[in-house]
Amino acid sequence: MLTEEEKNAGLEGRIVPINIEEQMKSAYIDYSMSVIVSRALPDVRDGMKPVHRRILYDMSAELNLYSDKPTRKSARIVGDVLGKFHPHGDSSVYEAMVRMAQDWSLRYPLVDGQGNFGSMDGDSPAAMRYTEARMKKITDEVMADIDKETIDWTLNFDDTIPEPTVLPTKIPLLLVNGASGIAVGMATNMAPHNLGEVVDACCAYVENPEIECEELLKYVKGPDFPTGGIIYGYDGVREALLTGRGRVMMRARTEIEHTASGRECIVITEIPYMVNKAEMIKKIADMINEKKIEGISYINDESDRNGMRIIVILKQDARASVVLNTLFKNTPLQTSFAVNNIALVNGRPMMLNLRDLVRHFVEHRHDVIVRRTRFDLRKAEERLHIVLGLLIAQDNIDEIVRIIRSSQTPDAARQSMMERFDLSDLQAAAIIEMRLRALTGLERGKLEAERDELNRQIDYFRRVLESRDLQMQIIRDELLEVKEKYGDDRRTEIVYASEEFNPEDFYADDDMVITISHMGYIKRTPLAEYRTQNRGGVGAKGSATRDEDFIEHIYVATMHNTILFFTEKGRCYWLKVYDIPEGARSSKGRAIQNVIQIEPDDKVRAYLNVRRLDDADYVANNYIILCTKDGTIKKTRLEAYSRPRQNGVNAIVIREGDQLIEASLTSGKAEVMIAAREGKAIRFNESTVRPIGRVGAGVRGISLDEGDEVVGMICVEPASGQDVLVLSENGYGKRTDLSEYRVTNRGGKGVKTINVTEKTGKLISIQAVTDENDLMIINRSGLTIRTAVSQIRLAGRATQGVRIINLRDGDQIASVMAVPAADEVLPEAETGAEQASEPQTGTPDETPSGRE
């Protein structure tokens, strides 16, 4: 309501009260539509936003900067566009023109720039007063026939100059050059494609308008980026082409070379689209300095005018494939392009798939062809009308001259001729304007030839307008002509692989020693860090543990293995070896509760190396045999453990006072041996144990005397050639042929496997070994020794064996593991081991042949 003062001031009737909420809604919608239609989104027909369309139109029609004309200052072009068509900032026009000249931004640049137009390193172009530009030759095809009434026009911002609403392009620019823009409430991000492939798709649509989008994928393989590179994985490409939305994974093109010193180096020759090369190199260098990427010693940009070349020199022990995959994961060497095909269709934004884009372009070309033909037909008919009048004048030249000479004015002469020869006003005017040379016989012949040619053209144009098939044939022929002129080979290679990172790609499949301490600390260490010593050595320092802690388990696996951890409570957990924290041989490791979700009062007691949990045949035909301290065993198919769960699963029911001590992977035909602490062992065939599910307690494997307990179980496969190796807690051990242990029924007491005395101590370990194995032994004080199994002689089942490791007073063996033999044996002096003071047992022939 108006106040009395406002009414008295004469404002009544001039101020209209409105709802502020409704006004804000209306104003914002108007602004949104202006941004969407007039600024941010391209037109589906010519692939242009208004600024690009205005730049090209001004360069062609207003400034005549075609490809065969000299260049002009960019400032002149920008100023002309601003003054006539685009009343916005000069930087917006200049930046748009610059991008159309950059061959790393557009697959087919439309502007021919002279001077500094920026670089892939993100360098800014020179100021517009320093650079010059003109149209590229391909742009001539974009502007072709614009003067033949092929498109609609509108007035510019001040209603003084007409400007085109769309360009009559012969080239499907939206597909071949792509587009990107952020509007209000929507955005577009369209990938560039290869001109030849797009033309083939358009021709296929012309020949069969009912063609499915799926069939067009035979022609358009996928995006073709101006910077080349590799598209990694096809699923995203396919989704983008079929639906209009998808994520395309792009990778740099790399090669592995060697430096003069023999080091491996990664050479990068192409990078993903829209990646800033300088920033990419800086990011890699920063990650190297921050130790986030290991294995790289040096990176340098050696790019020049001949092409891109970025050198990444690796450290001596680094693997190029591992480093490269790490770079792909953590740097812009691999990045994604989120396709979002939104364009204006009849002024409305729409999501478009490949077929939609092709269809709208072909329909636009069809409209241009029809309108161009109508224009050409009209012009031909108008010219024929004039030529026929000139021929009439040729036939009656004497009378024409007389009429002209006898007339007082040109209008009178024209009127007289029109009445005398039944001519139109246009024909009479043309005759009056005719030069005297047209009276020659040669000129008459030209007029007759022109008449015949015009008749042929008119007949052709009429046939074109009457036949849609002929119109489509013209579209096809012109497209193929464009492909012939400007088509080129695909730059971006498509690799049909998974878009997802495979974590195994980042780790070489090296052998690792996995150690677990008594107090539950775990780590992995490269097996190469452990060197072989001669039998009887005291050993090298293996791990830094607290006084009351010691290494209890030592296992060997490769980086890509899946490890199944079995705890003494009968739970099973899954973990990839590369997920186990790495530590040096002397480091403590990490608490296992921080690696797998194990209960605080539980401990890992056994493990299994498994590679192929996803192989149905493999998991169905292999078994896991579990053994507990009181002699219970359980057999279950591996298939029951083929679906990892983060929180683990129950593997066996453990009775009170019992605990799981061992797990083995078998084929179903193995010989099972269970050894007890008092020196007895039982052997029976695995087939006597029926497989049951995970939920179950198992059956009796060995009967124990009171106070005795199981120390280990081995499963020996047929024809494996393995012997039985046993070791006592005071360092005595021996190898025995498996055949010395007779096969008995499951559940018996077994037979003597080592002569347990006060000197040897109780039995602590049983292992299945061959001459190809080394024995790794860790005692409670943390010392470790690695010795060749072949140095341990075969002995009878009931003997006490030979001394394997010398122990200090009060020390005992904590854990034993058979590992693959090392390639070399280092003298004890090189390992830092102390020389044993106690005389060696055994005979001279126990030293293996072929070892130094």
Side-chain angles (χ1 to χ4, degrees):
M1 295 294 292
L2 297 179
T3 65
E4 286 298 324
E5 291 80 3
E6 290 172 332
K7 289 180 180 178
N8 293 335
L11 298 179
E12 190 171 7
R14 294 169 56 192
I15 296 179
V16 180
I18 61 170
N19 186 312
I20 186 67
E21 184 179 350
E22 294 299 324
Q23 177 61 22
M24 291 293 288
K25 284 183 181 178
S26 174
Y28 192 72
I29 288 173
D30 290 343
Y31 165 72
S32 301
M33 290 308 300
S34 172
V35 171
I36 291 170
V37 176
S38 303
R39 192 186 307 176
L41 298 185
D43 192 293
V44 72
R45 297 169 292 176
D46 63 357
M48 294 279 179
K49 298 180 189 178
V51 63
H52 301 109
R53 188 180 300 119
R54 288 164 176 167
I55 291 170
L56 294 184
Y57 175 66
D58 188 81
M59 292 178 73
S60 61
E62 300 293 319
L63 298 176
N64 195 30
L65 292 178
Y66 283 93
S67 59
D68 57 349
K69 300 295 190 295
T71 57
R72 285 225 194 148
K73 283 288 185 186
S74 298
R76 169 67 192 279
I77 300 169
V78 172
D80 211 55
V81 173
L82 287 179
K84 293 179 178 177
F85 307 112
H86 200 71
H88 300 279
D90 58 355
S91 62
S92 65
V93 176
Y94 186 49
E95 288 171 6
M97 189 184 80
V98 163
R99 190 172 183 274
M100 287 195 288
Q102 294 174 336
D103 58 7
W104 63 90
S105 294
L106 262 64
R107 182 64 176 83
Y108 299 90
L110 302 175
V111 172
D112 183 9
Q114 184 172 305
N116 174 15
F117 276 76
S119 74
M120 291 183 69
D121 288 332
D123 299 323
S124 299
M128 66 180 81
R129 62 182 178 274
Y130 298 121
T131 61
E132 298 182 357
R134 62 181 175 186
M135 290 161 50
K136 282 270 193 183
K137 188 168 180 59
I138 194 173
T139 317
D140 295 349
E141 308 291 348
V142 177
M143 308 305 299
D145 303 324
I146 195 170
D147 55 349
K148 291 189 175 183
E149 301 176 1
T150 52
I151 53 173
D152 294 329
W153 297 75
T154 186
L155 291 175
N156 68 341
F157 61 90
D158 60 0
D159 294 342
T160 56
I161 305 172
E163 63 170 310
T165 59
V166 69
L167 299 182
T169 174
K170 292 182 179 179
I171 298 167
L173 287 176
L174 192 56
L175 271 167
V176 301
N177 273 339
S180 64
I182 300 173
V184 178
M186 65 184 66
T188 185
N189 200 35
M190 306 181 70
H193 296 80
N194 183 269
L195 176 61
E197 293 180 2
V198 172
V199 166
D200 289 341
C202 291
C203 291
Y205 177 83
V206 166
E207 293 173 1
N208 177 21
E210 302 300 322
I211 191 170
E212 295 293 332
C213 193
E214 185 85 32
E215 295 180 58
L216 290 177
L217 299 190
K218 299 176 184 176
Y219 305 98
V220 179
K221 309 300 182 187
D224 188 23
F225 299 108
T227 53
I230 294 171
I231 292 175
Y232 185 66
Y234 192 68
D235 288 346
V237 174
R238 177 184 174 82
E239 184 181 2
L241 293 175
L242 293 179
T243 68
R245 296 193 67 166
R247 187 168 295 274
V248 177
M249 197 65 69
M250 303 179 294
R251 277 188 170 185
R253 186 177 297 279
T254 58
E255 298 174 1
I256 309 299
E257 296 182 0
H258 289 82
T259 63
S261 61
R263 285 192 188 183
E264 283 188 319
C265 64
I266 300 169
V267 180
I268 304 164
T269 55
E270 295 173 3
I271 61 175
Y273 183 49
M274 301 300 289
V275 168
N276 184 308
K277 176 161 65 75
E279 289 184 3
M280 181 191 75
I281 294 172
K282 182 178 183 301
K283 180 171 183 179
I284 295 174
D286 289 344
M287 296 185 78
I288 295 170
N289 294 333
E290 294 167 5
K291 308 295 184 185
K292 293 182 179 178
I293 297 180
E294 300 290 341
I296 298 177
S297 65
Y298 180 68
I299 181 171
N300 188 39
D301 186 3
E302 298 181 357
S303 305
D304 56 22
R305 66 182 60 189
N306 296 320
M308 182 186 299
R309 183 177 173 86
I310 303 169
I311 303 293
V312 180
I313 298 178
L314 307 186
K315 292 180 180 178
Q316 197 70 44
D317 57 346
R319 296 199 180 198
S321 58
V322 174
V323 173
L324 185 57
N325 282 306
T326 305
L327 288 173
F328 282 145
K329 181 180 182 183
N330 299 299
T331 72
L333 278 184
Q334 174 163 311
T335 187
S336 62
F337 186 95
V339 175
N340 192 30
N341 291 345
I342 293 181
L344 296 175
V345 180
N346 297 323
R348 298 171 64 90
M350 292 184 63
M351 177 75 70
L352 305 164
N353 62 19
L354 175 61
R355 185 179 183 277
D356 295 331
L357 292 167
V358 169
R359 175 171 60 85
H360 286 299
F361 172 74
V362 171
E363 288 176 356
H364 174 55
R365 281 306 297 167
H366 177 258
D367 185 51
V368 168
I369 295 295
V370 170
R371 295 173 70 162
R372 183 185 70 188
T373 306
R374 286 176 185 159
F375 176 86
D376 289 339
L377 175 60
R378 191 180 79 243
K379 289 297 182 181
E381 288 176 338
E382 290 173 357
R383 178 58 184 168
L384 178 61
H385 184 62
I386 299 297
V387 169
L388 292 176
L390 294 177
L391 286 172
I392 290 173
Q394 282 269 6
D395 293 337
N396 302 276
I397 192 61
D398 293 336
E399 191 170 355
I400 291 291
V401 171
R402 183 186 62 75
I403 291 173
I404 293 174
R405 290 187 65 183
S406 63
S407 300
Q408 293 296 320
T409 63
D411 287 343
R414 188 175 72 250
Q415 194 66 34
S416 298
M417 283 189 288
M418 289 170 62
E419 294 172 358
R420 170 67 181 85
F421 298 107
D422 195 22
L423 298 174
S424 70
D425 188 62
L426 289 173
Q427 288 174 321
I431 291 171
I432 291 175
E433 298 295 330
M434 186 172 61
R435 296 182 180 181
L436 289 174
R437 71 179 186 185
L439 302 177
T440 64
L442 181 61
E443 288 298 320
R444 177 177 177 83
K446 287 183 178 179
L447 287 173
E448 290 175 343
E450 186 178 359
R451 178 197 61 195
D452 296 340
E453 177 62 27
L454 287 169
N455 279 321
R456 281 194 295 272
Q457 288 182 3
I458 290 170
D459 180 60
Y460 171 71
F461 293 145
R462 286 174 176 166
R463 283 190 289 112
V464 169
L465 292 174
E466 292 170 357
S467 171
R468 183 177 176 84
D469 290 342
L470 199 50
Q471 295 161 10
M472 289 298 179
Q473 184 62 39
I474 294 171
I475 295 173
R476 183 176 183 278
D477 292 344
E478 290 184 353
L479 282 170
L480 293 174
E481 183 182 352
V482 164
K483 177 184 175 182
E484 181 67 27
K485 284 183 182 178
Y486 308 106
D488 56 5
D489 293 334
R490 164 175 278 278
R491 296 182 190 174
T492 303
E493 179 186 354
I494 298 177
V495 175
Y496 296 87
S498 171
E499 288 88 348
E500 297 296 325
F501 277 111
N502 181 357
E504 294 182 2
D505 292 341
F506 306 107
Y507 305 97
D509 199 18
D510 295 332
D511 288 328
M512 290 285 158
V513 175
I514 300 169
T515 56
I516 302 175
S517 74
H518 179 73
M519 298 190 71
Y521 288 87
I522 186 172
K523 72 174 188 292
R524 60 177 166 86
T525 307
L527 182 62
E529 286 196 19
Y530 293 87
R531 302 297 186 182
T532 307
Q533 297 178 26
N534 290 322
R535 179 175 60 80
V538 174
K541 189 68 177 175
S543 182
T545 58
R546 290 184 287 183
D547 292 342
E548 65 272 20
D549 197 11
F550 57 90
I551 297 296
E552 192 168 55
H553 296 277
I554 179 168
Y555 312 127
V556 175
T558 67
M559 284 286 275
H560 293 181
N561 280 12
T562 298
I563 308 300
L564 271 60
F565 291 95
F566 294 89
T567 70
E568 60 185 28
K569 285 189 173 184
R571 297 279 293 173
C572 174
Y573 299 86
W574 291 261
L575 195 65
K576 285 286 189 179
V577 170
Y578 52 71
D579 287 329
I580 298 173
E582 184 173 6
R585 190 173 66 175
S586 59
S587 68
K588 182 172 70 171
R590 186 182 301 177
I592 202 165
Q593 286 86 352
N594 296 332
V595 182
I596 56 178
Q597 297 183 5
I598 187 175
E599 294 179 10
D601 58 343
D602 204 358
K603 291 175 63 178
V604 172
R605 299 292 302 189
Y607 91 106
L608 291 176
N609 279 338
V610 182
R611 270 191 181 271
R612 297 170 294 178
L613 283 178
D614 56 348
D615 187 329
D617 185 62
Y618 177 77
V619 298
N621 293 293
N622 284 275
Y623 302 86
I624 292 177
I625 295 183
L626 306 175
C627 180
T628 70
K629 188 168 67 174
D630 73 352
T632 299
I633 65 167
K634 177 184 176 182
K635 178 179 176 182
T636 307
R637 291 186 189 275
L638 179 58
E639 185 177 21
Y641 298 91
S642 63
R643 289 169 289 279
R645 297 182 194 171
Q646 191 173 2
N647 297 324
V649 295
N650 285 322
I652 186 173
V653 176
I654 299 294
R655 297 182 178 90
E656 186 177 355
D658 195 9
Q659 60 181 221
L660 181 71
I661 62 166
E662 192 63 75
S664 291
L665 185 67
T666 71
S667 64
K669 303 175 182 177
E671 295 291 325
V672 180
M673 282 193 65
I674 302 175
R677 186 171 176 78
E678 294 297 334
K680 285 195 173 183
I682 188 172
R683 173 189 175 190
F684 55 88
N685 196 284
E686 178 189 348
S687 60
T688 63
V689 184
R690 180 175 60 87
I692 60 176
R694 280 193 298 105
V695 181
V699 295
R700 174 63 53 191
I702 186 173
S703 296
L704 301 173
D705 295 330
E706 186 175 352
D708 200 1
E709 63 184 43
V710 173
V711 297
M713 174 191 71
I714 61 172
C715 296
V716 181
E717 295 289 342
S720 65
Q722 291 178 311
D723 298 324
V724 179
L725 186 145
V726 291
L727 194 68
S728 68
E729 58 189 4
N730 290 339
Y732 286 84
K734 63 173 181 176
R735 292 166 65 193
T736 305
D737 193 284
L738 179 66
S739 61
E740 292 205 19
Y741 296 87
R742 71 177 186 272
V743 178
T744 63
N745 291 327
R746 171 182 58 79
K749 287 184 173 291
V751 296
K752 183 180 289 188
T753 185
I754 190 171
N755 189 20
V756 173
T757 64
E758 185 176 344
K759 178 181 176 182
T760 63
K762 304 291 187 180
L763 184 64
I764 192 171
S765 174
I766 181 170
Q767 301 285 330
V769 299
T770 69
D771 281 348
E772 304 302 318
N773 291 128
D774 286 351
L775 203 61
M776 292 192 68
I777 305 169
I778 294 181
N779 57 33
R780 292 177 182 268
S781 63
L783 293 177
T784 180
I785 185 170
R786 179 171 179 166
T787 188
V789 168
S790 55
Q791 289 184 335
I792 303 171
R793 65 183 175 89
L794 285 167
R797 176 170 55 80
T799 60
Q800 73 174 20
V802 296
R803 182 178 291 278
I804 305 298
I805 181 172
N806 289 332
L807 299 173
R808 296 186 178 95
D809 290 343
D811 204 359
Q812 288 186 327
I813 292 175
S815 181
V816 182
M817 182 66 183
V819 301
D823 294 331
E824 59 180 336
V825 180
L826 296 183
E828 290 168 27
E830 294 186 23
T831 67
E834 298 178 19
Q835 184 63 39
S837 57
E838 184 176 332
Q840 304 296 311
T841 58
T843 58
D845 63 356
E846 291 168 10
T847 301
S849 59
R851 292 185 180 266
E852 298 177 0

